Amino acid sequence: MFRRIGNVVVRHPVWTIVAWLIAAVAIVATAPSLPSSSDESSFLPKSYESIKAADLQAKAFPSAFTPSAIALYRRTDGGRLTAADKQDVVRITEELGDKHIDQVQKVVPGRPSQDGRYTMTLVQMDSKNAGQPKQADAAKVLRDDVKQLVRGTDLEVRLGGSAAQALDQQDSSKRGEALIGIGTFVIILVTLLIIFRAPILAVLPLFLIGLVSAIANGLIAYATELFDLQANSSISSILIVVLFGVGTDYFLFLMFRYRERLRTGDEPKQAMVNAVGRVGEAIASAAGAVIIAFFALVLSTLGFLKQMGPALAIAVTVTLLAALTLIPAVVSLIGPKVFWPSKSWQREPENARFAALGRGVERRPALTAAVSGLVLVALSLGTLGFNATFDLAAGSMPKTKESMVVQDEMQKAYSAGAAAPTDVYLSSTDGKPLDKGAFDAYAGKLGAVDGVANARMTQVNKAGTTADFTVTLKYEASTDKALDAVGKVRDVAHADAPDGTKALVGGMSSIYKDIDAAVTHDYRTVFPVAALLIMVILGLLLRSVVAPWYLIASVGLGFGATLGATVWIFQEAQGKSGLMFMLPVIMYLFVVAIGTDYNILMIARLREEAREGREPREAAGMALRHAGPTVAAAGFILAATFATMMLAGNALLTEMGFAVSFGIAVAAFVMAMFFTPSLTALIGHAAWWPGHADRAEPAAVSGAGHAGAVPVSGDSRDTVGQDSAGRRG
């Protein structure tokens, strides 16, 4: 099949390129803009208690005041607020309300801090657009206006709250995307120049993958709108890295094999056909493993991950199609001039280092497997200390952003939980009015819960059937202590609800508690499903039942080693309380799925060497010699491109960038080069049971005479390659 694809593309390269250009123009011109949400509650399904509580609040208290923005004031000299300062705040609050800013529904004064050094203005916005760009725009206007109004006073003001966080997150994301994009371009360009010493070859993938990126982003926007999926600004940064990193991987897989075919004497066009025919299956299988693993995210209960899965799967699918059609078409048009001015492509390098590594694996496969396996196991021990954090806003931007400064100052000036109080909604189950005489006792029981600063009944709906008890925790909403405390509040709220009533607990800590439960569900669902589907891909590629088991076990060890190293560096060494909650899921999919690419490439090459009549150990050594440079180059570029995410300056992308780049490096330089080939050499022919995929097949030796092949001159045999001595390899 892949040889037929190569034949069609090489015969009609211009039409292939034109088709891609038409598709790009049509999709980019008509695609909707990609929406973005930073509202954590929108990531959860309706079945969770915190979401039920939010729905109940909207029905029972439609006019309830929930601030979306908080203007926090203090004196410029840091002293206690004077009567004149307080009058200035009242004036500013009134003038802000009179401006009738879009999305702003109500502006009211807040209460001063206990030490008298801070006070607030609270701004309520339309709850239907929580976390959406409209409210970020409103926050920008508010921030500019309130700072203008404070001029001429002794006060300074900062704007915080969820809307301001959405604005700062948006700005941080744009800056991060720019840095990641520049870093990715530079790394790919410089690395390809070093590898091939050919400027055309270094620039070509950037242009081609840029085209692919435009198409993929358009298709993702269509899918997001069509299926009403949630989006987050961090996805754009991840997409840049996935498209250029994975795209460059597949470009390298193809170009290394194309260069190898030219060295054996293939006519240029036939060399590309043979390259696609040989490496196309490995690329398709590698991409298939990634696509299936990403699609497994639709099983997630979190809207953010549900959207990320299809988005990344679409991106990799478009990249795969480009690797099998667009790249071969463009390169076949240019021909060997793509390697200009270098002439090294004309002779096979000795690959002395990889040949030496291959001989080491061939001679001591047991020792190689044991040492590389022990390294992975040792690093995996760090997973025992993993702890999750849930404040997505704080994780998505630097602590120096204005909204983050406000959050930190409010925790110091007020009760740590005051910025995001917990609400217990007590509702009658029979539709009759609640017994108000039971309110004080119920509030007392809620206030007595360990970790609660105070609890009080704040409002009852008009029908008298639902009461709102505001519970202020002693801890900031996203901390482990707050999650433990809200769990205890739930227990007491449910158990001690008066007869004929039902309690629901809402608020940010309750949302984080449910996100924790959702992530735990995802670990138990997404992980095994993704692993099973990747094993099916491996089984189909290798025609084996045995090999997929130890291959998936090896990438599982790679995941454990990656998470362990990340825990040690970010939690232990840097003293952080934990890692972002979705990191293990994302890491698992990137490391297991994309890391499998290198295992697939190596094991596919090992099979080719075995089919040349070599015994398992020799085949493993030769596979490392010939495929090692490709794996090393692709692994380095992909790891380096993911590492550019650390330039974004926020916790989420910094942790993700390190973790995935480290995992890719482990997959390429430990698993694919040592662990997998040495295990395959040890297991021998049994690795391919029940088939005989590693046995020599005389029919596989020839390929040039395939029906429909492009006419060639010279030696067009579809061999694996020849070394300088003429021996086939």
Side-chain angles (χ1 to χ4, degrees):
M1 180 181 77
F2 296 102
R3 180 176 298 283
R4 285 196 291 272
I5 292 173
N7 267 319
V8 171
V9 169
V10 170
R11 282 182 168 218
H12 308 287
V14 175
W15 285 113
T16 302
I17 296 167
V18 168
W20 273 93
L21 291 174
I22 292 172
V25 171
I27 291 171
V28 171
T30 60
S33 60
L34 186 65
S36 180
S37 174
S38 59
D39 179 17
E40 282 93 334
S41 65
S42 67
F43 298 157
L44 286 167
K46 300 291 185 183
S47 58
Y48 282 87
E49 180 170 352
S50 60
I51 307 305
K52 290 180 180 178
D55 291 341
L56 176 60
Q57 179 199 20
K59 293 175 184 175
F61 308 104
S63 59
F65 190 89
T66 304
S68 297
I70 301 169
L72 185 66
Y73 307 89
R74 71 172 186 177
R75 285 184 60 84
T76 53
D77 60 11
R80 291 174 64 88
L81 297 171
T82 65
D85 295 331
K86 293 175 183 177
Q87 279 299 112
D88 285 331
V89 171
V90 171
R91 174 185 59 81
I92 292 168
T93 301
E94 290 175 353
E95 291 188 23
L96 273 179
D98 292 341
K99 287 180 178 290
H100 303 293
I101 298 168
D102 181 46
Q103 296 295 307
V104 174
Q105 296 177 329
K106 193 182 294 185
V107 183
V108 301
R111 62 187 177 87
S113 61
Q114 289 184 347
D115 62 10
R117 296 169 57 212
Y118 292 88
T119 192
M120 299 179 289
T121 292
L122 306 177
V123 181
Q124 178 177 279
M125 295 186 186
D126 187 351
S127 60
K128 294 178 183 177
N129 295 320
Q132 296 301 322
K134 288 181 180 179
Q135 295 203 351
D137 294 341
K140 189 176 190 309
V141 176
L142 274 169
R143 184 172 281 171
D144 292 340
D145 286 352
V146 75
K147 290 185 177 180
Q148 182 69 33
L149 291 170
V150 88
R151 288 181 180 176
T153 71
D154 294 324
L155 299 170
E156 63 181 20
V157 63
R158 292 187 178 92
L159 191 76
S162 59
Q165 288 177 351
L167 173 63
D168 289 342
Q169 189 176 8
Q170 191 179 86
D171 292 342
S172 180
S173 176
K174 288 178 181 176
R175 174 182 175 275
E177 281 181 36
L179 289 173
I180 289 169
I182 293 169
T184 299
F185 270 64
V186 170
I187 286 169
I188 293 174
L189 185 65
V190 172
T191 307
L192 290 179
L193 278 172
I194 292 172
I195 293 172
F196 293 106
R197 300 180 183 86
I200 297 175
L201 206 54
V203 173
L204 189 60
L206 297 176
F207 280 108
L208 297 181
I209 299 167
L211 178 67
V212 171
S213 176
I215 294 173
N217 275 290
L219 293 176
I220 290 165
Y222 272 123
T224 300
E225 185 178 80
L226 181 63
F227 298 105
D228 193 27
L229 299 170
Q230 294 294 334
N232 183 271
S233 54
S234 297
I235 290 178
S236 298
S237 301
I238 297 169
L239 275 174
I240 292 171
V241 176
V242 169
L243 282 163
F244 281 91
V246 173
T248 305
D249 261 13
Y250 299 159
F251 179 82
L252 284 171
F253 290 179
L254 188 65
M255 292 311 300
F256 270 93
R257 188 54 69 99
Y258 175 60
R259 186 176 66 178
E260 184 177 316
R261 297 306 314 151
L262 288 173
R263 285 169 177 164
T264 64
D266 283 1
E267 184 270 336
K269 289 186 179 295
Q270 185 63 43
M272 180 55 72
V273 173
N274 286 342
V276 174
R278 281 292 192 173
V279 85
E281 186 180 21
I283 291 175
S285 300
V290 177
I291 292 164
I292 285 178
F294 286 158
F295 263 124
L297 281 177
V298 299
L299 300 174
S300 170
T301 50
L302 294 173
F304 168 58
L305 294 177
K306 274 181 179 290
Q307 197 272 348
M308 178 182 283
L312 296 178
I314 290 169
V316 177
T317 301
V318 178
T319 306
L320 168 64
L321 293 175
L324 296 178
T325 59
L326 179 61
I327 294 173
V330 173
V331 175
S332 67
L333 271 181
I334 301 172
K337 291 179 182 178
V338 75
F339 297 106
W340 177 89
S342 173
K343 298 186 182 298
S344 61
W345 65 271
Q346 297 174 351
R347 59 186 182 279
E348 183 178 0
E350 292 297 324
N351 286 340
R353 294 179 182 177
F354 292 98
L357 292 175
R359 288 193 295 272
V361 169
E362 180 180 344
R363 292 169 184 168
R364 300 181 181 84
L367 178 62
T368 304
V371 171
S372 53
L374 284 173
V375 169
L376 297 176
V377 170
L379 289 172
S380 298
L381 295 176
T383 59
L384 300 175
F386 172 74
N387 187 49
T389 56
F390 298 90
D391 190 349
L392 186 59
S396 299
M397 68 186 100
K399 290 289 185 182
T400 54
K401 284 291 185 181
E402 186 169 330
S403 58
M404 292 294 97
V405 174
V406 171
Q407 180 173 290
D408 291 341
E409 288 188 346
M410 285 192 65
Q411 289 175 28
K412 296 171 185 174
Y414 297 83
S415 169
T422 295
D423 290 285
V424 177
Y425 299 101
L426 189 67
S427 298
S428 147
T429 56
D430 55 10
K432 296 178 181 179
L434 296 167
D435 177 12
K436 294 182 180 180
F439 287 174
D440 287 343
Y442 190 62
K445 289 177 181 178
L446 293 173
V449 173
D450 184 31
V452 172
N454 60 73
R456 57 193 176 90
M457 198 285 293
T458 51
Q459 57 185 331
V460 180
N461 69 338
K462 290 181 180 179
T465 55
T466 301
D468 177 8
F469 293 81
T470 299
V471 178
T472 304
L473 304 179
K474 295 178 181 178
Y475 317 108
E476 193 274 320
S478 64
T479 60
D480 290 340
K481 290 182 177 179
L483 268 60
D484 290 341
V486 85
K488 294 172 184 176
V489 168
R490 282 183 176 182
D491 293 340
V492 171
H494 298 159
D496 293 328
D499 293 340
T501 66
K502 178 183 178 182
L504 290 173
V505 181
M508 287 310 303
S509 291
S510 185
I511 289 171
Y512 292 140
K513 183 76 173 176
D514 287 340
I515 288 176
D516 190 18
V519 170
T520 301
H521 164 272
D522 291 351
Y523 291 163
R524 296 172 180 170
T525 306
V526 176
F527 282 22
V529 168
L532 180 62
L533 293 175
I534 290 173
M535 285 182 65
V536 170
I537 291 286
L538 291 171
L540 292 173
L541 168 67
L542 303 174
R543 283 79 167 174
S544 167
V545 172
V546 176
W549 285 97
Y550 68 82
L551 290 177
I552 203 68
S554 72
V555 293
L557 270 177
F559 164 76
T562 302
L563 181 56
T566 307
V567 168
W568 273 332
I569 289 175
F570 288 93
Q571 278 187 217
E572 305 300 333
Q574 296 188 14
K576 291 187 177 181
S577 59
L579 305 176
M580 288 304 296
F581 66 91
M582 78 278 280
L583 186 64
V585 176
I586 295 172
M587 186 192 306
Y588 176 82
L589 291 167
F590 279 107
V591 174
V592 172
I594 298 180
T596 302
D597 285 7
Y598 306 121
N599 266 346
I600 287 175
L601 187 69
M602 186 62 73
I603 203 76
R605 186 59 187 245
L606 193 153
R607 181 180 62 183
E608 287 186 23
E609 299 295 343
R611 282 176 171 174
E612 293 297 311
R614 296 184 173 90
E615 287 302 308
R617 293 193 179 194
E618 185 187 1
M622 291 301 294
L624 183 52
R625 174 185 174 180
H626 289 292
T630 309
V631 170
F636 173 79
I637 289 178
L638 191 58
T641 52
F642 272 106
T644 61
M645 294 170 69
M646 298 174 70
L647 300 173
N650 67 65
L652 173 60
L653 293 179
T654 297
E655 292 171 6
M656 193 185 300
F658 169 82
V660 178
S661 61
F662 184 87
I664 295 297
V666 167
F669 296 100
V670 179
M671 289 190 298
M673 286 198 188
F674 298 106
F675 196 64
T676 296
S678 59
L679 273 181
T680 307
L682 281 174
I683 297 171
H685 294 297
W688 308 96
W689 184 87
H692 302 285
D694 64 327
R695 303 303 170 92
E697 296 180 10
V701 175
S702 176
H706 191 282
V710 175
V712 300
S713 61
D715 181 7
S716 61
R717 291 175 301 164
D718 186 15
T719 57
V720 178
Q722 295 180 326
D723 60 23
S724 55
R727 185 179 62 182
R728 295 177 60 193

